[in-house]
Amino acid sequence: MSALSLFYAGISYAGAVVFFGGLAYKLIGYALTPSPLKIPLTPQPASAAGVAWKAVGSILSFRALWNGDRWTWVGGYGLHLVLVFVFIRHLRLFLSPVPWPLADVQPFALLIGALLPLPLVYLMARRAAVDRYRQISSGADYFALALLLLIGLSGLSLKFLFHADVVGIKEFLLGLMLLSPVEVPEHPAFLVHFSLVLVLGFYFPFSKLIHAGGVLLSPTTMQADDAPDVRHVNPWGGQ
Amino acid sequence: MAKEKFEIPSLEDALDTPPVRKGASGHLKIHPAPPQMMEKLGFPPALVEGWQKKAVDKLGELKEKYKSLKMFMEVCVKCGSCADKCHYFLGTGDPNNMPVGRQELMRKVYRKNFTAGGALFGGFARAGDMDEAALKDWTTYFYQCSQCRRCSVFCPFGIDTAEITMAAREIMDSVGAGHKYSLEVIAKVHDVGNNLGIPKPALSSTLEFLEEDVKEATGADVKFPVDAEGAEVLMITPSADFFSSPHVDSLVGYAKVFHAAGISWTFSSYASEFANFGMFIGNYAQMKKIAERIATVARDLGVKRIIVGECGHAWRVAYGFWDTLVGPFDTLEVKRPVHVCEFTNDLIKRGALKFDKTANDGFTVTYHDSCNVARASRMGESPEGQFDIPREVLKAACNKYVEMPDSVNREKTFCCGGGGGLLTDELMELRVKGAAPKTAALKRMMDEKGVNMMAMICAICKAQFTKVLPYYDIPMEVVGGVHQLVSNAIILGDK
Amino acid sequence: MSRDSLAAAALVAALLAAAAAPTLYTAAANGLFKKPPRPELVLPKGGDGKCVEPTDYMRANHMKLLVNARDRIVRGGEKLDKYHIEGCKNCHARRAEFCDRCHAYAGVKPECFGCHYLP
């Protein structure tokens, strides 16, 4: 195997370990950190099923952001919606054989997924333009958006500018997944795109991007309002 | 009011997002707690040697004890949804009063010490040391948060600044920098049994005076018992209800409801305080110690249930925390505390109370949702009972009732500006400015709907509004308790 | 451990399982430590082994040539040349043994075959 292929195989596995391991480490860490007191944000359902149903609605609609700032909602909701289609667009590269109906939805997924730069540029501009957001935005906040933007642009270039051999890319990715790495496609735009994704993988679990998992474990929104009925013991409360 | 040294916000645009004005409320300082008071509550008397490291260590300890703190430090994406939802930001424009701005004061230190990114790329990630400047910001801006949870309603992750403020105050206390007001109040509870420091003789004579007063006004023998053994109900109410106005009018209302329903009840001189300022300073042990007085009395007196008076944060502590802190209440028949509004509303629903609603015809009434009741607790069985039940009681007692606009009502209600341990004179400018959003809504209701009574069920809200409304040329008499209106209209039987 | 923590841990486990699902699916279908699957093409027998452009170029860009040829020849009325899909058929006679293999592998459903039914 070429030195380049060895390098990419190594760094890919490191990225996967850090990404999945980091995600597990952070989320299990959240789950196991005690909640000394019940602090649901009311009004809140009294049952776990009610809370789960409400959470599904909140996550699908970004309800709190909709109520809080409609203009940011447009960018934030747009970004996450586009990312769903980007995910669908890429899933075919990781699944072999490609299950039905993944191939059929590709043209539509591309249509939406290709919009990725729009919400990112919009959200960056919003951070810079509104005085409150300028005040709270750090380099790290722009970095997360810029990284996604570069990943998006390099990815789109593989489709529209420097067309890559998708079969070769898939073979490379499947090789990594099956622990039997093959040569990395020596396509510059692909290498840029893939390298940036690895950076994202290393960065994700240890940055604010962990909000993706954190949203499911937040004590205020995920605890049931059942204080009168279910006894809650503080593990360090010294009863 | 003529002699204020600061600009009173205009009510015209008090609900609009202001431009950011850096440092606009940086000059508002708390009075530090004196050394003997700190020591009395188990804190170091003054800023300790090496406080910078000790504060960071404490933060490290708390993040492993509170899931809320750890997650809220790490999952914020700074979307800005909360930025203009805090009454103190709307009133001052200070960016450190944007909820996310306030949180960032702690996150800076957190990032530097507990994240790789912050340790490696300090400035880029906005990480910073726990130093003089940070402590100055903390002692300023963590005492400009009333822990009202309004920001949390608009946060996609439910990040609750109250949790962060509580942790910050706990950290500051632990290194010897405390706030006089809250610690003084807590010390009084331990010494005397209540926040106001009312000893039993004074309490008894006040209640005797109230009995005579009510007898004179109504002809009925309404009792105000203290430490009565064998009573069915233990009544716990904020001590402000005994002495302050308009609080005391609601206290009379509670007594009349018990009288009309024919239920035996008693106050306790040992546990003569419902409020629990242990929550405001984020100190679990203090919160527990304060609540213990009530649990002890409930067992000793052998009551069947505990009914609690009109107080916001204390209802949160009672409803959500008591059982965990000092429960289970196995000797009681009703093992959970009952809010006096739930109690009165049940009696109304059962037809056990009669009202002459015309007694309140001089009032056009609206209701102010108090934050801890609205966003941190419930009443009754329905998830929105904390909104509906007090309103049902009001509608049973008054003919003319109107609602506040949705944007400032129910879970979106604005804090009165004096909650969370900020009801202290040195913060008067903050309190006046923080009250602006809700006051603006009230003013609109007064001008458009003829409202002349804003009823509420929180001792702090009552004290705060009676004090700050005159700054806006609104008479303090528009402030009242829900049971004050019950008191006006209830028909007392011959029980 | 409290009920709350257990529920949260279960949720995290479900999340991680979802994240691992694509790997598990592909590993189950193909077997770990085996060479990754690749499309097996039946190459033209009669031809001289040379396509209209080099193989690497064709892999990445055949669709562009086809679209370009369609625009020039079918829509623009230019003379039929080697880039037109009819020319492809001369060597790549069986769509199922050539085109479809890669398209199925990569999850690509080109529009061509809505009109052009190759043998």
Side-chain angles (χ1 to χ4, degrees), chain B residues 224-350:
Chain B
F224 291 77
V226 187
D227 299 335
E229 291 200 21
E232 187 185 327
V233 169
L234 170 63
M235 182 73 197
I236 303 284
T237 202
S239 58
D241 283 3
F242 297 116
F243 275 95
S244 304
S245 180
H247 307 60
V248 69
D249 297 325
S250 285
L251 184 95
V252 171
Y254 315 151
K256 287 181 178 173
V257 170
F258 285 123
H259 177 88
I263 291 170
S264 70
W265 66 289
T266 185
F267 287 123
S268 158
S269 62
Y270 177 73
S272 47
E273 181 59 67
F274 184 29
N276 192 327
F277 278 33
M279 183 175 94
F280 294 158
I281 63 168
N283 186 290
Y284 191 89
Q286 286 295 341
M287 193 156 47
K288 179 171 169 149
K289 194 171 168 195
I290 294 166
E292 243 152 25
R293 297 179 82 94
I294 295 162
T296 304
V297 165
R299 275 190 289 271
D300 291 355
L301 285 176
V303 296
K304 290 182 181 157
R305 53 183 158 161
I306 302 174
I307 295 181
V308 299
E310 298 180 356
C311 185
H313 82 280
W315 175 239
R316 177 181 193 192
V317 174
Y319 169 87
F321 302 167
W322 269 4
D323 190 71
T324 301
L325 290 169
V326 295
F329 289 79
D330 282 336
T331 61
L332 302 187
E333 257 174 37
V334 181
K335 301 198 188 320
R336 48 163 295 201
V338 177
H339 196 284
V340 67
C341 286
E342 291 176 286
F343 174 66
T344 301
N345 194 45
D346 280 347
L347 291 169
I348 294 169
K349 290 277 159 343
R350 283 196 278 128

Side-chain angles (χ1 to χ4, degrees), chain C:
Chain C
M1 210 192 312
S2 71
R3 257 171 43 113
D4 178 55
S5 292
L6 277 176
L11 194 63
V12 170
L15 266 181
L16 294 172
T23 307
L24 296 177
Y25 170 88
T26 296
N30 301 282
L32 282 181
F33 303 109
K34 297 219 179 100
K35 280 266 156 238
R38 54 182 304 165
E40 283 170 29
L41 307 183
V42 178
L43 294 173
K45 291 202 181 73
D48 54 4
K50 282 195 179 143
C51 198
V52 293
E53 296 288 339
T55 309
D56 281 350
Y57 184 87
M58 289 309 288
R59 279 191 181 148
N61 297 303
H62 62 276
M63 69 295 288
K64 288 184 194 160
L65 294 178
L66 286 168
V67 169
N68 182 278
R70 178 200 66 190
D71 290 348
R72 283 187 294 107
I73 299 164
V74 181
R75 297 191 178 159
E78 284 182 28
K79 211 154 69 76
L80 211 62
D81 63 19
K82 62 178 181 174
Y83 293 113
H84 189 263
I85 196 167
E86 291 297 322
C88 305
K89 290 200 295 189
N90 292 338
C91 305
H92 306 288
R94 290 177 202 273
R95 177 187 147 200
E97 290 173 356
F98 188 77
C99 313
D100 287 355
R101 296 270 162 95
C102 281
H103 291 157
Y105 180 78
V108 176
K109 280 210 170 168
E111 298 154 27
C112 318
F113 304 122
C115 307
H116 299 275
Y117 291 95
L118 295 177

Side-chain angles (χ1 to χ4, degrees), chain A residues 26 29-46 64-65 67-69 72 127 131-141 143 203 206-208 210-211 213-215 217-221 225-234 236-239, chain B residues 17 19-20 22 63-68 70-72 74-81 83-85 89 95 98 100 124-126 149 152-160 163 284 287-288 316 319-321 323-325 327-328 336 373-378 383-384 386-387 411:
Chain A
K26 295 303 288 189
Y30 292 154
L32 298 185
T33 306
S35 287
L37 294 164
K38 273 189 189 163
I39 56 166
L41 183 69
T42 61
Q44 174 86 332
L65 186 55
N67 290 330
D69 188 324
T72 303
R127 281 201 182 278
D131 62 355
R132 301 188 301 287
Y133 303 154
R134 193 164 55 240
Q135 193 66 39
I136 57 177
S137 299
S138 68
D141 296 315
F143 173 75
Y203 183 68
F206 308 102
S207 69
K208 68 173 191 174
I210 193 71
H211 73 283
V215 65
L217 299 170
S218 175
T220 49
T221 53
D225 176 23
D226 58 4
D229 307 314
V230 183
R231 181 163 170 73
H232 179 76
V233 176
N234 175 4
W236 51 264
Q239 295 294 319
Chain B
T17 304
V20 169
K22 277 195 191 182
K63 86 177 172 75
E64 297 307 329
K65 286 170 104 174
Y66 289 85
K67 179 187 295 195
S68 54
K70 181 191 263 188
M71 289 195 61
F72 296 165
E74 296 184 6
V75 303
C76 175
V77 298
K78 294 195 260 166
C79 68
S81 182
D84 57 351
K85 303 304 183 291
F89 176 69
M98 297 189 293
V100 52
F124 180 70
R126 285 213 189 154
R149 308 190 109 193
S152 187
V153 171
F154 298 95
C155 175
F157 316 105
I159 295 174
D160 180 6
E163 294 289 309
Y284 191 89
M287 193 156 47
K288 179 171 169 149
R316 177 181 193 192
Y319 169 87
F321 302 167
D323 190 71
T324 301
L325 290 169
R336 48 163 295 201
V373 176
R375 293 184 282 259
S377 71
R378 193 181 77 204
E384 309 220 342
Q386 73 269 36
F387 307 128
E411 73 265 31

